[in-house]
Amino acid sequence: MFTMTYCKFTYYNCLALFIIVLTGCDSSETLSLSKKSIIYCSEGAPESFNPQTVTSGTTIDATANQLYNRLIEFNPTDNSVVPAIAKSWHVTRDGKMVTFYLRKDIEFHQTAYFTPTRNLNADDVLFSFNRMLDENHLYYPVSGGKYPFFQNAQLVDLIDNIEKINEYTIRFQLSHSDSSFLANIGGNSAVILSKEYADELVELNTMQEIDILPIGTGPFKFKQYSSGAFIRYEPHANYWRGKSDLKQLVFDITPRDTGRLTKLLAGECDIIAYPIAHEKIKQHPNLTLESVTSFNVGYFGFNTSKPPFNDPLVRKAISYAINKQAILETVYTGQAEIADGLIPNSSWAYDSTITSQEYSITKAQALLAEAGYSNGFSMNLWAMPVQRAYNPDAVTMAKLIQADLQKIGVDVEIVFDYEWSTFLRKISEGEHQSVLLGWSADHPDPDNFFSTLLSCASAVTGSNRTFWCNEEFDQLIQSALQTNNINSRKAYYSKALKLINEEVPLIPIAHSKRYQARANNINGTLLRSIGGIDFNGVTKN
Amino acid sequence: MGLLKTNMLIFTLRRFSLFFFTMWLLTILSFSLSFLFPGEQLINLTGEINASPEQLAVLANEYQQQANLLTQYFSYVSHLFHGDMGYSMTSHLPIMTEIINRLPATVELTCVALLVAMFFGIPIGFCAAIYHRKAPDNFILAIAMIGYSIPVFWLGILAILVFSVQLGWLPSAGQISLLFEIKHVTGLQLVDILLSDSEYKWQAFQDATRHLILPVIVVALAPATIFMRLARTAMLEVLDTHYIKAAKAKGLTFSQIIYRHAMRNAVIKVIRDVGLQFAHLITIAMVTEVIFSWPGIGRWLIESIYQRDYTAIQGGLIVLSTFIFIVHIIIDFVYAALNPLAREPNHGT
Amino acid sequence: MARDKIYLEEEFPTPLMQLWHNFKQPPVVMIGFGCFLFLIALALLASVITPYSSVENHLDHLLLPPAWSDEGNVSFLLGTDNLGRDMLSRLMHGTSLTFGLSIIVVMASLVIGVIIGSLSALTSGIKSSILNHFLDVILSIPSLLLAIIIVAILGPGLENTLWAIIMVLIPQFVHITRNAVKEEFAKDYVLASRLDGASSIRILWYSIFPNIIEKLISQATLAQSTAILEIAALGFLGLGAPIPMPEWGAMLANGIDLFYIAPWTVYLPGLAILFSVIATNLVGEGMRHALKVRKEN
């Protein structure tokens, strides 16, 4: 049995081998690969790879500016409209006819699943818009037939006809003048898809792939998506604004806030979305914390189609019982503004004379008694499970609201353990009684807040999570759109804001900044005050 | 020799009949879960939450819903045999695909952890037994006590803080850096890397090994301490037997006794109990997968409960339990190969 | 006046007294036992002796570090969390949840397990064999997966996870009871009372249970350390205690997001779990040691 001593010998050999493997990891070699690649730790998985079909910020971040371009875009500094696919445009004096002149040098992505034979032309633009506008279009029902951004903005009613003038000219015929039209066309969801690719998919009978294996004109092309884990992009070699320096771009989907920060600190991510522990990042010598004022609102919404919140008195009572100041200090650590109305004060439609309900337990109790709930009731509160700029920690906010409402005898059960896309689906089906959510604007026009969050049309598409449908309110926001006079628009919006404060379908809580943290060797700006992030022009040293 | 072979055959047959019996019970359990879970039984079974009434009628026919329970059960089992476990309620992918994508990561983590736990736990346990009731023994027992008392999720967090964030030695999450593109062949990351033709193969291999170290240590710690105690007890029992005393009387040195006589018999005693610890190890691995974002089946199952994906839970139950049984059987065979006594029919159960 | 002993009689302590005598020998076991009693006292008295309520928010004192740190405040000895809740009070209230409930869970599964185990020891043949294999199947399903299945059936919540853990622990008790009862039934004294005409139930109750109770208690301490870890793990995964409850695992999960700015919100609940599991294990260890010593004598 001399084998035992032999075993002992190999035992230590194995141990030594293990240690060699460990210490033999020379990180300088790995650098050759990581030097030209960026790993971005995002906060959630996209619902689709086509921003036409969704409005969630996570999806917009992963798709809109990376994979696609729009006819026109917004200048990141002053939010004015600038040329993109359309090199110029012309609006007739009555505002009813808009003509876009397209660039001729824009190429679509070449990938393993599609090879383009021609550059972008008017057919692609026509296809991209008709898919959303024309219910009889072959591609309309693919992926569910919901185009929330376009339907909320009621562009279906607005756009009478889209006409191809020649290969590189396209004309929109509007039913009436609409002051937010250009802003909507520049919005994240108005991306241009490839008609050639769509036709090829029709032949292959795999039409649903248009939103799963995307083809666009943006700076990056799609390489691989591992569901819920990561997205891999490669640079688009023939990008019309110039090819990116990067070798690859990876979105590492990391829903846990601490997980993202840990990865940044351990050097496993170059950039992270929505960082927590700002002080820790500021103290770190190799990391930078950035922020941008963003057009958003975090709100506490009621499902007005279900009792007890079908009664405006109950909703108003609750609005008196919420201590917004405490929420601001605890959840936003003071780095936001209390929201008095739906729109932030950086918007021109902001009206400082409108104030929301003050914090008053006695008023809340009186209203509750008036509504017939003097003994209180119990309700559920759905807190969004991911971090967004407008709500960095919904669960903590929910806990504070739970404690606040306890004081007026309302028992709150917090629902928070769903994954983000399941959460959104259940909310749009109206399973909740009340919800903590928010909205980041797609474009600078204030209409984007009103139509998307509270109009009757959006109650149908599901982006109005309160299911509140008020004719007077709809009338007001329609009237605001039909004029170009900024003062009369402002007057209409003020009335609408007052109506919201009276009826309280939702309680606006705060307007906040959007934060991001990155390693110091990453250059370029990718935060935008409107819409999603943009990796075009980002480099790594 | 002939007797030995028949004994081995009988042993194998017994093991396999036990395995099939167990699988039968498991499928009954999983089938009855589809009734116990909230919602409609057919939908729980198939995972087709968005199916139209017509599609549901087709499915009902396929699963013989109109017939009696026994027929329904058999139709369920025949679906299982064809690798059809229904569709995930959240991702709408076949459960089988989801499992094939994730199970290998768990197999890799748990098997490496089991080997590491044995590799370190058993010799340390022997060491404690040799120094019975002396300082090293007490020290090892104290470490063992802390090792199996520490909550694994807390240990994982502390390990990440120390080794990933503060020292920066090891990565904190995932199976491999996302920069490497490795094709999914077997699913076992290290094997796939060796099979791939990437120019960064060696770097990828090192990177994957580095990703494996922390989770493996966290998973292996508690089982290792249990093996320590088992090995210690086994060695003490062996040292107390007559043949060791006889060897001592013959004048063999202490190390000769340990290496030549005691070790092998003690190892056999420990191996017998390794199988029982494996289910426990899987529980630890499930939590560890969550902490280290390990793309395995444990994390997938825990996420499935957040999303009430009942079909996924049923499929996960069957696959994970089958995996545990298979490991049990392998360990039983190893035990039988080492210990001829175990092959005798009257000991074979 | 104590009556003088007339005869020199040898005293036989009861089995439990003997156990206690052997149990209290090693000092480290007594320390563990002391900690165990301390935790029980804390679990019972938490609501009386805590300085604050477990859900009271002190919005002026957010994320205070423990008192020994420079920015600490002595009125919040172990600091506060992100809602300004006193950590010390929450940990103390948590004792009655994580530790206290683990005792209840173990008792419930002990009772159920002993009943099933004794019944299965009394039956034989195919019924017993099926039960045996069924238990083997349950035992080889990882306990967390079993708990997930039960939570999926009943829905999340503290009460349901307790049922899940009871279910997880029952097979162990069935197993040990069945083996112990069978072992005892083979002994001569049982045969003697059987010849006297005692029924099986009577033998179980009067002859066997007093002899296997120590084994059950020793298994119960093992089960309790498992129960604490399981309650905490399910709380950590967000399947157990609902949100404001100061269950240690749930507290730790809540602390994770504050880890880099307020590490004590992670360290303290973890230490509490570790402390209570070690105390339980020390008691169990002492128990098994005492049993072994008695057997040897």
Side-chain angles (χ1 to χ4, degrees):
Chain A
M1 272 213 174
F2 65 96
T3 45
M4 276 301 158
T5 38
Y6 178 70
C7 273
K8 189 181 140 201
F9 183 65
T10 48
Y11 185 90
Y12 290 116
N13 269 357
C14 293
L15 214 66
L17 189 76
F18 186 67
I19 290 164
I20 289 169
V21 170
L22 254 180
T23 50
C25 302
D26 187 3
S27 51
S28 65
E29 265 186 71
T30 325
L31 278 180
S32 59
L33 186 63
S34 67
K35 210 174 358 185
K36 292 266 172 214
S37 308
I38 288 186
I39 298 184
Y40 171 78
C41 282
S42 66
E43 77 289 358
E47 296 155 74
S48 154
F49 280 99
N50 182 353
Q52 291 179 329
T53 60
V54 269
T55 53
S56 90
T58 311
T59 310
I60 300 287
D61 277 349
T63 57
N65 291 319
Q66 273 52 264
L67 294 170
Y68 300 100
N69 290 115
R70 277 110 50 196
L71 285 176
I72 48 177
E73 287 169 5
F74 301 111
N75 182 331
T77 46
D78 62 1
N79 290 327
S80 60
V81 180
V82 293
I85 287 177
K87 60 185 180 206
S88 61
W89 61 93
H90 173 258
V91 186
T92 52
R93 196 165 295 165
D94 63 356
K96 282 181 157 187
M97 212 166 340
V98 187
T99 315
F100 292 98
Y101 304 95
L102 311 181
R103 292 177 71 103
K104 295 176 182 169
D105 58 349
I106 296 180
E107 290 184 28
F108 281 104
H109 298 153
Q110 181 180 354
T111 62
Y113 47 88
F114 175 66
T115 307
T117 60
R118 60 168 177 81
N119 283 4
L120 181 143
N121 64 24
D123 288 333
D124 298 309
V125 180
L126 204 60
F127 165 76
S128 304
F129 283 98
N130 278 340
R131 176 188 173 180
M132 297 188 279
L133 299 173
D134 177 7
E135 284 185 32
N136 299 321
H137 194 277
L138 197 52
Y139 269 94
Y140 183 86
V142 176
S143 301
K146 279 197 176 176
Y147 302 95
F149 177 76
F150 261 57
Q151 288 160 352
N152 296 339
Q154 298 183 341
L155 289 179
V156 190
D157 301 334
L158 176 67
I159 301 173
D160 268 350
N161 183 30
I162 307 176
E163 195 184 344
K164 172 181 167 185
I165 306 294
N166 62 41
E167 280 294 290
Y168 296 100
T169 311
I170 196 137
R171 180 177 294 156
F172 285 73
Q173 190 88 45
L174 308 184
S175 62
H176 52 263
S177 156
D178 183 306
S179 43
S180 70
F181 176 71
L182 277 182
N184 279 325
I185 293 296
N188 283 309
S189 294
V191 297
I192 305 300
L193 314 176
S194 165
K195 181 172 190 293
E196 196 189 355
Y197 178 51
D199 289 344
E200 202 178 293
L201 291 180
V202 172
E203 270 175 37
L204 296 170
N205 203 16
T206 52
M207 282 160 57
Q208 70 286 353
E209 283 190 358
I210 195 163
D211 300 333
I212 301 169
L213 297 172
I215 291 291
T217 55
F220 293 92
K221 60 187 183 186
F222 177 87
K223 181 82 185 285
Q224 186 189 4
Y225 174 51
S226 169
S227 175
F230 66 88
I231 315 166
R232 194 188 301 283
Y233 304 93
E234 274 184 340
H236 177 23
N238 306 318
Y239 184 49
W240 56 279
R241 280 177 178 139
K243 179 179 179 275
S244 165
D245 279 345
L246 302 176
K247 207 165 184 181
Q248 55 176 332
L249 171 67
V250 180
F251 274 43
D252 182 356
I253 299 164
T254 316
R256 290 209 72 122
D257 302 338
T258 313
R260 283 198 302 281
L261 183 55
T262 305
K263 283 183 179 178
L264 182 72
L265 291 169
E268 289 163 68
C269 291
D270 299 303
I271 307 168
I272 62 169
Y274 307 107
I276 51 165
H278 296 172
E279 286 307 311
K280 173 97 185 169
I281 296 168
K282 281 185 204 157
Q283 285 162 11
H284 199 288
N286 300 330
L287 302 178
T288 312
L289 182 73
E290 302 171 295
S291 66
V292 64
T293 314
S294 117
F295 257 39
N296 63 31
V297 61
Y299 64 81
F300 174 23
F302 303 105
N303 184 344
T304 58
S305 66
K306 274 187 183 174
F309 295 121
N310 51 1
D311 182 350
L313 279 178
V314 180
R315 304 196 296 256
K316 204 163 183 180
I318 302 279
S319 75
Y320 276 113
I322 306 291
N323 185 350
K324 287 188 194 173
Q325 190 61 41
I327 290 177
L328 196 75
E329 279 162 22
T330 316
V331 179
Y332 297 88
T333 57
Q335 284 159 338
E337 292 155 28
I338 286 192
D340 278 326
L342 201 55
I343 46 177
N345 62 4
S346 47
S347 167
W348 53 258
Y350 178 75
D351 184 347
S352 60
T353 59
I354 294 174
T355 52
S356 59
Q357 280 81 357
E358 72 274 15
Y359 175 51
S360 163
I361 298 286
T362 43
K363 281 190 183 168
Q365 277 165 336
L367 277 172
L368 215 53
E370 197 186 327
Y373 289 100
S374 43
N375 295 326
F377 55 90
S378 51
M379 59 181 264
N380 65 38
L381 172 57
W382 290 49
M384 45 186 260
V386 296
Q387 204 194 17
R388 313 292 319 175
Y390 48 72
N391 194 338
D393 185 355
V395 178
T396 302
M397 193 189 283
K399 288 180 197 167
L400 286 168
I401 290 175
Q402 189 181 41
D404 280 340
L405 296 188
Q406 191 70 52
K407 293 175 191 153
I408 58 166
V410 176
D411 283 327
V412 178
E413 182 211 345
I414 301 174
V415 181
F416 68 104
D417 55 357
Y418 288 107
E419 182 266 344
W420 185 217
S421 52
T422 313
F423 183 89
L424 286 179
R425 194 190 73 229
K426 290 196 178 270
I427 294 281
S428 60
E429 285 162 4
E431 277 196 31
H432 61 294
Q433 274 181 306
S434 68
V435 63
L436 289 177
L437 218 60
W439 175 249
S440 286
D442 297 299
H443 60 69
D445 198 281
D447 176 62
N448 193 232
F449 283 94
F450 293 98
S451 304
T452 320
L453 293 181
L454 290 169
S455 70
C456 294
S458 60
V460 178
T461 58
S463 73
N464 177 350
R465 320 290 190 183
T466 69
F467 303 99
W468 185 66
C469 177
N470 182 307
E471 272 178 36
E472 190 188 345
F473 178 83
D474 261 33
Q475 199 60 52
L476 283 170
I477 56 175
Q478 278 309 316
S479 317
L481 283 178
Q482 280 158 9
T483 168
N484 265 324
N485 182 326
I486 213 154
N487 282 330
S488 48
R489 283 192 78 189
K490 196 173 169 179
Y492 285 124
Y493 286 135
S494 289
K495 279 184 190 160
L497 286 173
K498 280 200 188 97
L499 196 61
I500 295 172
N501 273 357
E502 207 46 48
E503 285 270 321
V504 209
L506 52 77
I507 306 173
I509 301 224
H511 307 294
S512 166
K513 287 181 168 180
R514 175 172 180 172
Y515 286 89
Q516 165 180 292
R518 61 173 166 189
N520 285 344
N521 60 347
I522 308 291
N523 300 320
T525 49
L526 35 66
L527 279 181
R528 298 275 183 272
S529 60
I530 299 290
I533 50 170
D534 186 352
F535 275 94
N536 185 33
V538 174
T539 56
K540 186 173 183 179
N541 293 344
Chain B
M1 263 336 250
L3 187 68
L4 202 70
K5 264 190 189 156
T6 17
N7 277 351
M8 200 64 200
L9 187 70
I10 292 174
F11 175 79
T12 313
L13 284 177
R14 276 179 155 250
R15 289 287 97 180
F16 276 99
S17 67
L18 189 66
F19 178 72
F20 287 117
F21 183 76
T22 322
M23 289 311 296
W24 174 64
L25 279 177
L26 199 62
T27 49
I28 290 190
L29 185 67
S30 149
F31 178 67
S32 48
L33 282 182
S34 64
F35 292 92
L36 293 171
F37 285 147
E40 246 181 84
Q41 186 252 342
L42 181 62
I43 293 177
N44 287 339
L45 211 56
T46 56
E48 304 267 11
I49 38 171
N50 294 329
S52 61
E54 298 84 51
Q55 284 168 315
L56 277 182
V58 172
L59 282 174
N61 195 28
E62 222 178 273
Y63 281 87
Q64 316 219 344
Q65 293 276 305
Q66 67 294 341
N68 59 20
L69 267 183
L70 198 67
T71 326
Q72 287 186 34
Y73 167 72
F74 280 120
S75 122
Y76 167 68
V77 173
S78 87
H79 274 89
L80 279 187
F81 266 112
H82 291 96
D84 175 11
M85 297 189 175
Y87 288 82
S88 158
M89 290 179 172
T90 43
S91 72
H92 307 294
L93 291 170
I95 298 286
M96 207 59 196
T97 321
E98 296 264 16
I99 286 174
I100 288 172
N101 282 335
R102 290 180 172 85
L103 185 65
T106 301
V107 171
E108 196 170 12
L109 176 66
T110 51
C111 290
V112 174
L114 183 69
L115 292 179
V116 166
M118 287 165 67
F119 199 73
F120 287 93
I122 296 176
I124 295 176
F126 288 163
C127 199
I130 291 164
Y131 294 100
H132 186 44
R133 293 199 178 141
K134 293 197 190 103
D137 184 26
N138 289 335
F139 179 72
I140 290 170
L141 279 183
I143 296 289
M145 168 78 78
I146 294 174
Y148 66 76
S149 300
I150 199 164
V152 58
F153 43 89
W154 196 58
L155 179 70
I157 294 166
L158 295 188
I160 289 177
L161 178 72
V162 174
F163 294 103
S164 304
V165 174
Q166 289 187 343
L167 298 173
W169 290 353
L170 296 166
S172 69
Q175 225 180 347
I176 189 169
S177 166
L178 293 177
L179 298 177
F180 299 105
E181 281 179 82
I182 304 298
K183 231 192 223 144
H184 187 280
V185 186
T186 61
L188 300 170
Q189 192 70 252
L190 294 177
V191 178
D192 280 0
I193 291 172
L194 294 178
L195 289 177
S196 79
D197 46 7
S198 158
E199 51 177 317
Y200 302 108
K201 193 162 158 178
W202 180 233
Q203 288 177 27
F205 190 79
Q206 283 183 333
D207 192 67
T209 319
R210 277 156 43 86
H211 275 83
L212 199 57
I213 293 171
L214 271 192
V216 161
I217 291 176
V218 169
V219 175
L221 183 74
T225 57
I226 290 170
F227 292 147
M228 266 179 223
R229 297 168 55 84
L230 288 174
R232 178 179 172 273
T233 320
M235 182 58 103
L236 285 178
E237 274 173 25
V238 170
L239 288 179
D240 210 29
T241 52
H242 296 298
Y243 61 86
I244 296 290
K245 284 176 185 157
K248 268 185 195 165
K250 269 162 68 185
L252 294 180
T253 64
F254 191 63
S255 61
Q256 277 175 323
I257 292 174
I258 295 289
Y259 284 127
R260 295 194 186 168
H261 298 281
M263 199 116 99
R264 185 191 159 99
N265 288 311
V267 166
I268 289 172
K269 276 176 190 269
V270 180
I271 298 270
R272 191 183 49 193
D273 291 333
V274 165
L276 285 179
Q277 294 306 321
F278 195 67
H280 182 220
L281 190 142
I282 293 276
T283 292
I284 298 174
M286 287 172 75
V287 179
T288 311
E289 283 180 6
V290 173
I291 306 263
F292 286 92
S293 317
W294 192 262
I297 198 166
R299 188 166 74 121
W300 176 66
L301 274 171
I302 289 172
E303 274 164 15
S304 302
I305 177 78
Y306 294 146
Q307 297 169 40
R308 309 292 183 272
D309 189 342
Y310 301 119
T311 323
I313 295 175
Q314 281 174 46
L317 166 72
I318 290 195
V319 171
L320 209 51
S321 307
T322 312
F323 170 52
I324 294 170
F325 290 137
I326 291 173
V327 172
H328 274 195
I329 289 177
I330 292 172
I331 291 169
D332 276 347
F333 274 103
V334 172
Y335 176 60
L338 290 174
N339 184 11
L341 280 179
R343 293 194 289 263
E344 280 182 24
N346 50 343
H347 288 81
T349 46
Chain C
M1 273 306 275
R3 199 179 57 152
D4 284 342
K5 279 181 183 164
I6 304 173
Y7 304 104
L8 193 62
E9 224 174 335
E10 206 178 338
E11 272 194 63
F12 285 103
T14 64
L16 277 178
M17 281 306 289
Q18 281 179 32
L19 190 69
W20 170 244
H21 183 74
N22 293 326
F23 177 78
K24 67 183 183 184
Q25 293 302 326
V28 63
V29 170
M30 280 317 283
I31 296 174
F33 190 60
C35 295
F36 192 81
L37 291 181
F38 167 72
L39 284 169
I40 290 181
L42 209 55
L44 291 175
L45 300 174
S47 48
V48 186
I49 56 174
T50 47
Y52 304 97
S53 133
S54 67
V55 290
E56 189 182 351
N57 302 336
H58 303 271
L59 295 175
D60 308 333
H61 301 281
L62 298 180
L63 293 174
L64 273 187
W68 52 84
S69 135
D70 288 344
E71 297 104 63
N73 181 334
V74 82
S75 51
F76 299 97
L77 203 57
L78 293 180
T80 58
D81 66 5
N82 61 334
L83 292 175
R85 295 175 294 196
D86 180 40
M87 287 298 284
L88 179 66
S89 308
R90 284 179 72 73
L91 285 173
M92 285 162 84
H93 281 285
T95 318
S96 48
L97 291 175
T98 313
F99 183 78
L101 288 178
S102 76
I103 296 181
I104 293 173
V105 161
V106 169
M107 290 213 195
S109 46
L110 178 81
V111 170
I112 302 172
V114 166
I115 292 172
I116 300 177
S118 332
L119 289 180
S120 93
L122 296 179
T123 55
S124 57
I126 189 96
K127 257 193 281 181
S128 158
S129 168
I130 287 185
L131 183 76
N132 241 335
H133 285 305
F134 187 71
L135 284 179
D136 280 348
V137 173
I138 298 279
L139 268 177
S140 57
I141 297 175
S143 55
L144 184 58
L145 181 55
L146 203 57
I148 284 183
I149 290 170
I150 292 168
V151 168
I153 296 172
L154 299 173
L158 189 57
E159 203 177 308
N160 294 342
T161 53
L162 294 185
W163 280 113
I165 297 166
I166 290 175
M167 296 286 276
V168 170
L169 295 178
I170 285 175
Q172 303 174 3
F173 284 110
V174 173
H175 210 76
I176 201 155
T177 313
R178 200 188 55 215
N179 290 352
V181 169
K182 278 201 165 160
E183 209 174 286
E184 291 295 320
F185 253 102
K187 288 187 179 166
D188 290 342
Y189 75 97
V190 175
L191 190 67
S193 39
R194 205 177 266 281
L195 289 175
D196 282 347
S199 68
S200 293
I201 302 290
R202 198 185 156 80
I203 295 176
L204 263 184
W205 190 250
Y206 288 103
S207 312
I208 292 181
F209 280 152
N211 283 310
I212 64 169
I213 192 124
E214 314 133 354
K215 270 190 192 162
L216 291 176
I217 294 177
S218 142
Q219 175 65 29
T221 58
L222 268 185
Q224 201 196 337
S225 66
T226 316
I228 297 174
L229 288 175
E230 295 273 322
I231 292 176
L234 288 171
F236 175 78
L237 295 174
L239 301 173
I243 263 178
M245 274 200 188
E247 195 279 314
W248 291 338
M251 274 175 80
L252 209 159
N254 179 49
I256 280 194
D257 281 347
L258 312 166
F259 189 34
Y260 290 107
I261 39 174
W264 60 91
T265 53
V266 172
Y267 293 146
L268 293 174
L271 280 176
I273 299 169
L274 183 63
F275 175 74
S276 60
V277 177
I278 287 186
T280 314
N281 277 335
L282 278 177
V283 171
E285 202 61 37
M287 193 89 76
R288 277 183 291 282
H289 180 74
L291 279 175
K292 212 174 109 196
V293 171
R294 212 186 68 191
K295 223 180 204 170
E296 280 168 7
N297 296 343

